């Protein structure tokens, strides 16, 4: 079964009302091929504004949600609130949340299951740190992160995995297409052996880490790279080229 190409844009904690308007105008001017899904993740405060202004073939994600529908959890938002606002996606387990906000593998798994149960699709991020790659334990690390999700999630239909080596995020140091393909192939095999052949065949596995308009085509040509999660370049016109990188 052919997997539709998927391009996510993670705006992180960037932007203003004026910037959001400019980015929406830019995105609304892009061509989105029929076999490509595009989802952008503005800061929570701007999600609704961006969602209302974007053309229908570009969807919106939040950058985080919690594991309760409502209650005394100051500062958090729930997937039920996203659903209420007509927002279909959330990014979970980004390395910045794992690092700065101490999110554990297990919490990411729990958040993923909770969002899915609320009817919100998940871009679940995993990836090794530089010292882990240098110690040759990349596969062990990503397998551990995948298991923490699989412990909570049985149906992966609405999960997109983003493999983002931490050393490549925001550094300008992109993984080579071969390095990325190796991990993506490992992840697909892991899904076949630990979830199901269906999950292995159908789950999109994105690469993230310093993707730009110049390097996207060679990465997109690899058989197990089904798209990208893009940080810095999602705020620039080259995001339009990244959307077209499989064409
Ligand atoms: C990210 O934040 O998920 C990311 C991949 O960032 P960048 O593209 O800037 O490396």
């Amino acid at each position: 079964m052919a997997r539709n190409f998927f391009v996510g844009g993670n705006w992180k904690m960037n932007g203003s009302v004026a910037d959001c308007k400019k980015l929406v105008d830019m995105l609304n001017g892009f061509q989105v091929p029929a076999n490509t899904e595009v989802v952008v993740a503005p800061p929570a405060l701007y999600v609704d504004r961006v969602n209302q202004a974007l053309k229908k073939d570009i969807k919106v994600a939040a950058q985080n949600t919690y594991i309760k529908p409502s209650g005394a959890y100051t500062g958090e938002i729930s997937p039920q609130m996203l659903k209420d606002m007509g927002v279909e996606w959330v990014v979970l387990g980004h390395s910045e949340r794992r690092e700065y906000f101490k999110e554990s593998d297990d919490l990411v798994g729990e958040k993923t299951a909770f969002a899915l149960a609320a009817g919100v699709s998940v871009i679940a991020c995993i990836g090794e740190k530089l010292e882990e790659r240098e110690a040759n334990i990349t596969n062990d690390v990503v397998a551990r992160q995948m298991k923490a999700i699989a412990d909570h999630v049985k149906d992966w239909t609405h999960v997109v995995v983003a493999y983002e080596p931490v050393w490549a995020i925001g550094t300008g140091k992109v993984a080579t297409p071969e390095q990325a393909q190796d991990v993506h192939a490992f992840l697909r095999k892991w899904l076949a052996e630990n979830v199901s052949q269906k999950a292995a065949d159908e789950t999109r596995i994105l690469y993230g880490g310093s993707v730009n308009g110049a390097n996207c085509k060679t990465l997109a040509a690899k058989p197990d790279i089904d798209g990208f999660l893009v940080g810095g370049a999602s705020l620039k016109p080259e995001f339009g080229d990244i959307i077209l990188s499989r064409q």
Side-chain angles (χ1 to χ4, degrees):
M1 186 197 134
R3 294 179 294 271
N4 270 351
F5 202 63
F6 189 107
V7 180
N10 175 15
W11 296 4
K12 311 196 189 200
M13 196 177 74
N14 290 301
S16 61
V17 169
D19 291 336
C20 286
K21 187 176 178 332
K22 280 189 211 142
L23 285 165
V24 164
D25 287 346
M26 176 183 88
L27 288 162
N28 283 343
F30 288 159
Q31 183 204 340
V32 179
N35 64 351
T36 301
E37 259 180 276
V38 180
V39 176
V40 295
L45 197 56
Y46 301 124
V47 161
D48 181 50
R49 177 183 292 264
V50 171
N51 194 36
Q52 293 200 35
L54 276 175
K55 61 180 179 178
K56 279 201 290 298
D57 47 1
I58 300 184
K59 304 291 184 200
V60 169
Q63 296 174 14
N64 184 31
T65 46
Y66 195 50
I67 50 169
K68 300 284 178 187
S70 61
Y73 304 101
T74 302
E76 295 295 318
I77 60 171
S78 71
Q80 286 78 4
M81 290 170 175
L82 292 186
K83 277 297 270 192
D84 188 37
M85 301 301 281
V87 175
E88 296 173 25
W89 287 89
V90 62
V91 178
L92 292 173
H94 192 279
S95 64
E96 289 152 15
R97 297 225 44 97
R98 291 175 186 264
E99 179 72 15
Y100 305 137
F101 304 99
K102 308 295 171 224
E103 292 196 7
S104 65
D105 293 341
D106 190 59
L107 180 61
V108 174
E110 227 185 313
K111 284 185 170 192
T112 302
F114 192 75
L116 293 172
V120 174
S121 299
V122 176
I123 302 170
C125 305
I126 59 169
E128 84 286 3
K129 296 178 184 172
L130 182 59
E131 61 268 28
E132 293 166 332
R133 174 158 286 264
E134 287 174 346
N136 280 320
I137 56 167
T138 296
N139 287 354
D140 299 340
V141 171
V142 295
R144 188 197 74 217
Q145 294 167 327
M146 290 287 275
K147 181 177 181 306
I149 298 170
D151 283 347
H152 294 275
V153 173
K154 300 303 159 210
D155 180 356
W156 286 59
T157 311
H158 298 288
V159 179
V160 171
V161 174
Y163 166 59
E164 302 201 293
V166 179
W167 48 270
I169 296 179
T171 58
K173 231 196 226 179
V174 65
T176 66
E178 292 70 31
Q179 280 175 323
Q181 168 60 27
D182 283 352
V183 180
H184 284 229
F186 171 79
L187 291 169
R188 208 171 294 291
K189 188 161 155 279
W190 190 94
L191 282 169
E193 289 169 357
N194 295 278
V195 181
S196 65
Q197 190 57 50
K198 180 179 183 291
D201 291 340
E202 295 180 5
T203 303
R204 269 81 59 85
I205 306 177
L206 317 180
Y207 167 77
S210 297
V211 173
N212 60 35
N215 60 30
C216 58
K217 269 191 179 292
T218 48
L219 286 159
K222 291 294 179 189
D224 288 298
I225 298 182
D226 304 313
F228 302 115
L229 184 56
V230 184
S234 72
L235 303 170
K236 301 178 187 162
E238 66 192 291
F239 192 59
D241 300 325
I242 298 171
I243 291 170
L244 298 175
S245 54
R246 225 345 140 59
Q247 300 306 299

